Each structure stands twice: as structure tokens, then as C-alpha cells.
């Protein structure tokens, strides 16, 4: 038996597919001093009972890249390691029983092709020819992915472990990790009954146990186990290894051949969370099936295969799988405990994602930063409240089923709502706000007119709120609108070293005068955008940092980690300040009713901030905008917030002040070409590519992270550049991820899209690529541009300049 070493470069906790894949890839990268420890036997957690589907497509480009890599890896793993994996590629069919679902599938197929995933749209008859025993009366159409595959999850995990060992990695089973060694605020090893192992890096890949384990060290990992079902029939005539996987999302079911039997898997629309009192110390766990819950769902699945009524079910299986609050998995280094990486919460795609995740995390550990944009799965997208037991149990009910639900544009979670509310919540509810949720915040997305219920009616076309948002947009452009922006995150960085810290992390110049609002990005060493925010010097040694609700935790810890030895102190003051946006050409008039402060351009220019009196309150007013109009963001100490709100509403009556929601804001910012972090910009996009060169102070008297990468990019010339589009076709809607073409050549995907009410067209932005240095206005003008929607291309006009007020005259009015 291999003796437990007392030291390793990396210790991986967990011998499921994820831990195995991380260890395999660390070995490939030369980190052979890696030790994997499994509590019981390899695969005994969730991996052993997975159905083994390896689909290639995910909601976004990078997650698809990870899954495609898994497929390629698994295809060759047996030849490489000598260990069978059960890999085969029968392809997969997804069925649509409504026109909306068919549209969704065709949109996905268009993206698939862009990502190099073979995909063909099928008629119901064509689908039937591939799966002759299914009923197709209700089928509208289908999409076929001929290269989708499947594996034996146990075998593929064993092969990854074998591959890891062949590289020199040590893997041990029956060694439970009891705890972490934490020194100086860093994870520096693990403890076991057989002794301690010190390590530079610890990776937690302990599946559904990860949350409880990490919670002991103040690290929040929001995942919750839920029951997950499939049934396996007796052997059936006609099933072969070539029988395609069949997904029937409208019946919450999938079908796959399994040793000549049929495995019928269920994705329940309302699922049953499991292990609420803590995940027990079980191995190869099987949960007793709840027949009242699962039988009606199986019945539903049988409507696709009525012959199954006469077929014996040999096994009805229920096992636990981990789900997260947003259905995306969790990767990265714990912001509150450096040295501890994690990979958990796989929402039923751990096998399909496992190969790519292992590679991505191993590279992240070795390189010291993610080698691709993984923001959507980064642990830092969550806040500690997300890992609360009750929040998770309530949310999990919904997340499992969503995997097969309709992915409507703007779809809002229905569970675990009402977590964070601004002081204006009730007031705005009375104005018929329809609330959406971001990072736990309830935020007005739109306002319904009198007599109409403030609820979404989802569709891929114009949704019910389309005309109402148009009115809010017009109020912002022509009069004055009120936005509740309380959800914005606010931090205070104070101390004699504050400026030095900000100069080091910011691409823009923060050696700024008091009252100056500086728009800046924080970059990684490769020049990619890690954060996009405004920073205002409010006193000599005090800066107010404002960022989005969704990046509060991420940006806070990014800045905290950057402080280093400088004398500076960072405080999150989000809860202390409510925020209202007063936006539009008549905002000055409105503000003037409430304050004696001089609001003229000379006294209060754009991108400056002052403390002013407003009603009985002292507030901080910032002349800044995300809608592209004259306007102020008002930061109000929370206890004064309702007073200020009431004063604004009173004074606003004469000016037709209109409460406006985040959909109107999105429409306005798109027209104005304002980028949105997470959509248009992220860790793989440089500010120069994104058209944000105006916010990069290469001439500033301080070095900053990413500077060298930007200088190199500048001297070589850009090979990639953000372009803004307007669709010529008047009726169509754009959302994001629609393929872009220039002169028939596929360029990329739109990063965000929407309706521009002022320009009267669907608008979008996205990156185009070409020869270094050639991507100038002429190149854009001379191209014939098209955007593809559900398989059909439509002409678009393109520009490097925004569709609305390109010279920003209105903002500076
Ligand atoms: C019914 C069902 C069907 C599924 N079908 C599919 C599918 O078709 N395709 C797909 O992609 N995914 C599928 N999944 C999901 C997939 O099984 C999981 O996402 C995946 O197995 C998760 O792997 P993991 O390594 O994160 O977790 P696990 O497999 O649970 O591995 C974690 C390991 O950590 C060990 N561990 C825990 N604590 C410690 C400790 N303190 N010390 C040492 N070791 C520890 C555990 O013993 C366990 O072995 C399915 C899941 C279910 C339930």
C-alpha cells in the first residue's frame, strides 16, 4: 500500500470524475507531485450512477468549448491509458413540441455551427426515421447533433486516474480528508487520520460534500443535493449502440440505450432537494424512490414511447446530484481562503463537463489565472447568502427542471425570491413594478400600465412589456426617468496607500482631483478585463468604488487582494447607501427643484461628484450615466432614502417623471454603446478590443496590471474589435449569441442585443476579427454584414460608433 506522503505540491480532495480529471491534467502539465485522496472508493459519490451522456452544447461559447474538449478527450482515453471508457458516439436528437421550443432549438443549432459542433435541423419525420419507435404526433421539429456521445462514468474516471498515475501523480482511496491546515489566512495542506499533508494548493472536488466541508473554514460553496431519477427497462429488441440519445425536454425526459435496455431519465420541473440536514457519510448511495413523485413523471415520458407501458422496468434508480442557484457549476480559488481551489456543483453535467473542467482548473492553478473566460462559473459570482441552507433548498426545487425548461430571454427565477430589497421596493411596487432578480436583489425590470398585471409573458418575440419599456425609454430620452439603482455595489477604499493601490489595478488614471468620477477597467496580466467600474475620489485619501450588483463579491475581493503591503482599508458600504438615478434632459430641472446646489455645466460638469443638499438630506450626487443622457446618480444614506424618494416624486409630478426599469436602461445603454461586463467585456477581452481605449491611461505616471499586454497589442494592431449593429429587418428581436457575418465569413457571436427604441431597430454588439491593424472604420463600412437568427441570415448595418448620440453631446448638455 502506498504510504501517505507528508507533502505534495497539490492535494486534490475527491476521487469522482472531477477530482480524477483535475489530477490527470495536473499530471499532463508536469505537476506530478499531485496527491489525490478519496474518502472511500473512487467514484462512490455521484459519479458511479450517472447516465453517462456527453453532450457538446452548453449555453455559452466557453462552456461549449469545455464540453467539446471532454468528448475529444474521452474518445482517445482508452487508447492512451489502456483502460476501457465505454465511449461511443451515437449522436443525440432534441425534440420540440411547440414552435417556440423549435425556435429555441434552431437558435442553438446556429450557435452550435459557429462553435464547430455539427448540428442539423430535422423535420419530425426525419427525427422519426432515426428513432422509429417514438410517437411524433406532437413533434414540430428537432435538432440532431450527430457527434454527441456517451461513456461509462466509472470507467472513464478510472481511465483518468490511470492516466494521472502514468504521469506520476499519486492517487489513494480510503483516505478521508478530515480538515484543512490554514496558516496566515491561507490553505496550506490537509489533515487525515494517517497524518498531515502540506501543500502549496488544495483542490476541493468533493461533490455534494464540498459545501459542508468548506463552510467549516468560512468558504461559501452554494450547492445543494437533490434527488435525480432514471428507470432502466428490460432488454429490448432493436436497440443498438448506434441508437441515438433522445431528449424530449417538453416532457422532461431523455432516453438512451444502455446495454440493449432503455434508460429513461427524468428532469423534474419541480424536484426534491436531499440532505437538508447535511450530506450523510454514504457511499454508492441510492435514495429510496418516491413513487408518488416519480411515477406521474415517468407516465409523461411514456407519451413519447407508449410501447413502454408493456415493458418491464428492471431498475428505478434515484441518486443525489448537486445543484447550484444558477444552474452553473463552481470553479476557482476561494476569495476568502487563498490556496483553496474548488470544482463542484455540476448540475447533472459533471461527466460531460468533467474533461474540460479538469483541464481548465489545472491550467488555472499552474498559470495563476484562468486561461479562458470562466466568469460564469467562477465562485466569485456568488455571495455568502447564496450558500444558506434554506435559500439553497428552496432554489434547488427549480434549478434541476430548468435544465430542460425553456430558456426564455429574461426568464426570472421563481423560487427563493425577495432576498434583498431596496428601501423603495414597496413604493415602486405600488407603481406596478415587475421585479427581476440579480444577485439576490429585487430590481424593477419594467412597470406595467394601470389595470395590467406586472408580470412577464415570455416569448422569443416581443414580450408583453415591449411597449411599456418603450414609454420608459422615451421618458428617459425626452423628459426625465427615475431608476432605482440601489443594488449597485459600493466600496470605500481609504488610507494613505489608497491611490497607489488604485493606480496599480486600474487602467485609467486615479491620480485624480477630489470629486472626479473616473470610469476604468481592472485588468489581468494578459490585458483582459476583470472588472468595469467607476471610482470617485471623495477625499484626499478616500475613494468611492461603484460597481454592478452581480460583481460585488468578485470586485471586492479583487481589490482587497490587490492592496498588498500598501496602507489602505477596504469596506463594503453597499447597505449604507440607497441609489437613485435621475436621468434625462429634464433631470437638471427636476434636481433644481430640490437643491440649492449649482447644477450648471460649469459648476457641476459631467463625470464629477459633489455632496449636495436634497430636501432635508445630504446626499452624494454623481453626474454620470449608463443610459446616455444628462443625469445624476444620487447616493443617499439609507435612513434618508424614503424622504429623498418622496421629495423627488413630488417635484417630478410637474415634469412627468416616470419610474423606469432595468429593461429600459438596457435598451438605452445598448443604443449608446455602453459595454456590459459579463456580456460584452470580460477576462478575454482587452479594453482596446472593446473600444474602451479612451479609458486606458497608457501615459499615466504609474505602472498597472495589464499594461504591457496592451502596449504590445497596440503596437501590433488589433485583430479583434467590438462592432455595433442595427438589423435592417424591422420585426426581429436580438438577444445575444447570434452569429455575425462579414462578407459571408463568420466573425463571432453578438455579445448583447435588444431593441433600440430611439433608432427603431433591433441592435446588438459583438466582436469581429481580421488582419492585425486593418479593423478600422473603413473596414467596417466596406463589409456586408449579416446576423443569423435561427438558421437564417439578415442584413445589418455596422459601425464602430454607437447608434445614438455618438459624440455624447446629450450627456454633456
Ligand atoms: C441520476 C443521475 C444521472 C446523471 N447523468 C449524467 C449524465 O448523463 N451526464 C453527465 O454529465 N452527468 C450526469 N450526472 C451528474 C454527474 O454524475 C455528476 O455531475 C458528477 O458525477 C459529479 O462528479 P464529482 O466528482 O463532482 O462528484 P462525486 O462523484 O460525488 O465525487 C466526489 C468525491 O469526493 C469524495 N469525498 C467527499 N468528501 C471527501 C473527503 N473529505 N475526503 C476525501 N474524499 C472525499 C466522495 O467520496 C466522492 O467520491 C448524473 C447524476 C445523477 C444523479
Amino acid at each position: 500500500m502506498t504510504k501517505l506522503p507528508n507533502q505534495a505540491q497539490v492535494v486534490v480532495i475527491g476521487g469522482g470524475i472531477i477530482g480524477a480529471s483535475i489530477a490527470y491534467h495536473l499530471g499532463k502539465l508536469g505537476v506530478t507531485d499531485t496527491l489525490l485522496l478519496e474518502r472511500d472508493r473512487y467514484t462512490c459519490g455521484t459519479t458511479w450512477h450517472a447516465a453517462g451522456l456527453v453532450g457538446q452544447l452548453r449555453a455559452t461559447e466557453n462552456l461549449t468549448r469545455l464540453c467539446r474538449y471532454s468528448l475529444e478527450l474521452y474518445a482517445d482515453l482508452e487508447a492512451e491509458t489502456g483502460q476501457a471508457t465505454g465511449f461511443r458516439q451515437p449522436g443525440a436528437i432534441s425534440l420540440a413540441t411547440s414552435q417556440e421550443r423549435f425556435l429555441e432549438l434552431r437558435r442553438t443549432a446556429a450557435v452550435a455551427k459557429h462553435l464547430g459542433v455539427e448540428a442539423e435541423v430535422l423535420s419530425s419525420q426525419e427525427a422519426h426515421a432515426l428513432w422509429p419507435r417514438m410517437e411524433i404526433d406532437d413533434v414540430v421539429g428537432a435538432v440532431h447533433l450527430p457527434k454527441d456521445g456517451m461513456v461509462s462514468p466509472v470507467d472513464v474516471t478510472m481511465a483518468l486516474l490511470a492516466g494521472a498515475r502514468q504521469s506520476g501523480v499519486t492517487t489513494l482511496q480510503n483516505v478521508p480528508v478530515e480538515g484543512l491546515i490554514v496558516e496566515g489566512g491561507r490553505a496550506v495542506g490537509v489533515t487525515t487520520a494517517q497524518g498531515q499533508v502540506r501543500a502549496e494548493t488544495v483542490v476541493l472536488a468533493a461533490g455534494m460534500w464540498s459545501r459542508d466541508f468548506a463552510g467549516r473554514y468560512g468558504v461559501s460553496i452554494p450547492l445543494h443535493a437533490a434527488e435525480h431519477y432514471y428507470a432502466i427497462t428490460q432488454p429490448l429488441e432493436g436497440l443498438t449502440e448506434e441508437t441515438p440519445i433522445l431528449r424530449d425536454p417538453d416532457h422532461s425526459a431523455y432516453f438512451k440505450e444502455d446495454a440493449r435496455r432503455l434508460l429513461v431519465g427524468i428532469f423534474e420541473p419541480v424536484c426534491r432537494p436531499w440532505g437538508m440536514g447535511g450530506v450523510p457519510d454514504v457511499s454508492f448511495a441510492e435514495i429510496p424512490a418516491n413513487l408518488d413523485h416519480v411515477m406521474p413523471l415517468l407516465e409523461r415520458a411514456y407519451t413519447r414511447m407508449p410501447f413502454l407501458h408493456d415493458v418491464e422496468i428492471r431498475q428505478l434508480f434515484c441518486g443525489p446530484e448537486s445543484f447550484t442557484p444558477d444552474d452553473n457549476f463552481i470553479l476557482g480559488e476561494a476569495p476568502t481562503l487563498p490556496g483553496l481551489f474548488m470544482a463542484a456543483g455540476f448540475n447533472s453535467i459533471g461527466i460531460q463537463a468533467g474533461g474540460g473542467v479538469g483541464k481548465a482548473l489545472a491550467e488555472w492553478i499552474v498559470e495563476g489565472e484562468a486561461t479562458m473566460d470562466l466568469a460564469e462559473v467562477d465562485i466569485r459570482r456568488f455571495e455568502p447568502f447564496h450558500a444558506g441552507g434554506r435559500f439553497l433548498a428552496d432554489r434547488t426545487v427549480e434549478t434541476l427542471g430548468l435544465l430542460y425548461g425553456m430558456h426564455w430571454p429574461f426568464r426570472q427565477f421563481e423560487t427563493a425570491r425577495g432576498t434583498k430589497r431596496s428601501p423603495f421596493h414597496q413604493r415602486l411596487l405600488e407603481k406596478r413594478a415587475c421585479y427581476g432578480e440579480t444577485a439576490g436583489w429585487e430590481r424593477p425590470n419594467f412597470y406595467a400600465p394601470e389595470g395590467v398585471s406586472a408580470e412577464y409573458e415570455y416569448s422569443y418575440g416581443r414580450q408583453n412589456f415591449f411597449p411599456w419599456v418603450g414609454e420608459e425609454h422615451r421618458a428617459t430620452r425626452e423628459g426625465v426617468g427615475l431608476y432605482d439603482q440601489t443594488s449597485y455595489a459600493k466600496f470605500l477604499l481609504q488610507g494613505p496607500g489608497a491611490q497607489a493601490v488604485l493606480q496599480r489595478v486600474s487602467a485609467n488614471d486615479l491620480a485624480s482631483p477630489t470629486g472626479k468620477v473616473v470610469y476604468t477597467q481592472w485588468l489581468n496580466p494578459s490585458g483582459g478585463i476583470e472588472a468595469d467600474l467607476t471610482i470617485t475620489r471623495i477625499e484626499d485619501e478616500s475613494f468611492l468604488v461603484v460597481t454592478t450588483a452581480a460583481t460585488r463579491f468578485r470586485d471586492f475581493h479583487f481589490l482587497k487582494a490587490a492592496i498588498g503591503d500598501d496602507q489602505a482599508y477596504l469596506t463594503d458600504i453597499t447597505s449604507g447607501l440607497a441609489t437613485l438615478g435621475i436621468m434625462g434632459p429634464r433631470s437638471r430641472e427636476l434636481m433644481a427643484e430640490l437643491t440649492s446646489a449649482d447644477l450648471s455645466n460649469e459648476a457641476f460638469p459631467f463625470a464629477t461628484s459633489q455632496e449636495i443638499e436634497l430636501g432635508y438630506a445630504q446626499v452624494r450626487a454623481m453626474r454620470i450615466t449608463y443610459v446616455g443622457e444628462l443625469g445624476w446618480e444620487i447616493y443617499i444614506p439609507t435612513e434618508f432614502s424614503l424622504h429623498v424618494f418622496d421629495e423627488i416624486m413630488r417635484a417630478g409630478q410637474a415634469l412627468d417623471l416616470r419610474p423606469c426599469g432595468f429593461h429600459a436602461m438596457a435598451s438605452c445603454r445598448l443604443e449608446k454603446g455602453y459595454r456590459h461586463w459579463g456580456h460584452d467585456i470580460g477576462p478575454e477581452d482587452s479594453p482596446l478590443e472593446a473600444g474602451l481605449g479612451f479609458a486606458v491611461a497608457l501615459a499615466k505616471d504609474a505602472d498597472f496590471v495589464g499594461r504591457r499586454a496592451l502596449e504590445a497589442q497596440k503596437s501590433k494592431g488589433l485583430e479583434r474589435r467590438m462592432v455595433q449593429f442595427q438589423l435592417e429587418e424591422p420585426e426581429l428581436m436580438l438577444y445575444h449569441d447570434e452569429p455575425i457575418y462579414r462578407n459571408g465569413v463568420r466573425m463571432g457571436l453578438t455579445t448583447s442585443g435588444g431593441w433600440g427604441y430611439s433608432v427603431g431597430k433591433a441592435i446588438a454588439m459583438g466582436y469581429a476579427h481580421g488582419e492585425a491593424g486593418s479593423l478600422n472604420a473603413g473596414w467596417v463600412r466596406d463589409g456586408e454584414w449579416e446576423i443569423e437568427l435561427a438558421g437564417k441570415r439578415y442584413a445589418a448595418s455596422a459601425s464602430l460608433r454607437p447608434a445614438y448620440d455618438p459624440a455624447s453631446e446629450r450627456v454633456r448638455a
Side-chain angles (χ1 to χ4, degrees), residues 413-641:
F413 285 108
E414 288 164 10
T415 54
R417 291 290 300 269
T419 310
K420 301 182 194 167
R421 296 173 202 207
S422 94
F424 316 118
H425 186 90
Q426 194 57 31
R427 297 273 208 284
L428 296 176
L429 202 60
E430 284 158 16
K431 304 225 166 280
R432 292 173 305 285
C434 175
Y435 280 97
E437 190 244 73
T438 297
W441 283 98
E442 295 291 328
R443 312 200 305 180
N445 276 349
F446 63 85
Y447 293 81
E450 199 91 52
V452 180
S453 86
E455 282 173 21
Y456 278 96
E457 287 171 21
Y458 298 121
S459 108
Y460 272 97
R462 292 180 176 182
Q463 299 192 7
N464 61 329
F465 57 76
F466 184 87
W468 314 330
V469 169
E471 290 305 310
E472 295 168 26
H473 180 115
R474 255 181 293 284
T476 308
R477 292 283 187 244
E478 293 165 14
V480 55
L482 172 113
Y483 290 84
D484 180 2
Q485 299 173 209
T486 301
S487 58
Y488 283 17
K490 303 122 197 160
F491 319 135
L492 215 48
L493 187 73
Q494 295 165 291
Q499 178 178 311
V501 174
L502 291 174
Q503 282 292 61
R504 201 163 53 238
V505 293
S506 305
N508 212 337
D509 194 354
L510 265 298
S512 46
T514 302
K516 177 80 190 145
V517 182
V518 178
Y519 171 55
T520 189
Q521 284 78 44
W522 293 342
L523 309 179
N524 53 41
S526 315
I529 302 173
E530 292 287 331
D532 178 69
L533 25 72
T534 62
I535 304 176
T536 306
R537 188 194 286 268
I538 56 174
E539 286 169 18
D540 199 26
E541 294 183 356
S542 184
F543 292 82
L544 176 62
V545 179
V546 179
T547 188
T548 62
T551 56
R552 175 180 179 178
F553 203 59
R554 177 188 175 99
D555 296 349
F556 181 85
H557 285 284
F558 187 94
L559 187 53
K560 195 171 170 204
I563 291 175
D565 294 332
D566 276 304
Q567 244 191 307
Y569 317 95
L570 184 64
T571 316
D572 185 329
I573 56 164
T574 307
S575 312
L577 292 173
T579 307
L580 289 172
I582 313 285
M583 297 289 155
R586 302 193 75 181
S587 56
R588 186 177 278 127
E589 244 175 285
L590 172 54
M591 296 272 289
E593 287 287 314
L594 301 168
T595 182
S596 55
D598 184 350
L599 301 171
S600 67
N601 248 340
E602 297 68 39
F604 207 145
F606 176 66
T608 62
S609 172
Q610 297 176 24
E611 279 213 350
I612 62 168
E613 210 178 282
L614 214 148
Y616 297 144
Q618 285 287 122
V619 301
R620 170 160 294 282
M622 236 182 243
R623 188 155 163 214
I624 195 83
T625 175
Y626 197 49
V627 294
E629 296 293 341
L630 171 70
W632 280 265
E633 288 176 1
I634 318 285
Y635 293 81
I636 316 157
T638 314
E639 63 274 31
F640 290 99
S641 55

Side-chain angles (χ1 to χ4, degrees), residues 17 47-55 71 74 85-88 90 148-154 156 230 245 247 254 256 258 263 348 350-352:
I17 189 154
T47 297
W48 72 280
H49 59 234
L53 308 186
V54 187
L71 196 81
Y74 301 160
T85 56
F87 177 82
R88 55 198 159 99
D148 266 18
M150 57 171 100
V151 291
S152 154
V154 171
V156 92
Y230 55 69
I245 297 155
R247 294 194 176 90
Y254 66 93
K256 92 161 224 201
D258 194 270
L263 184 151
S348 210
I351 311 301
Q352 119 175 25

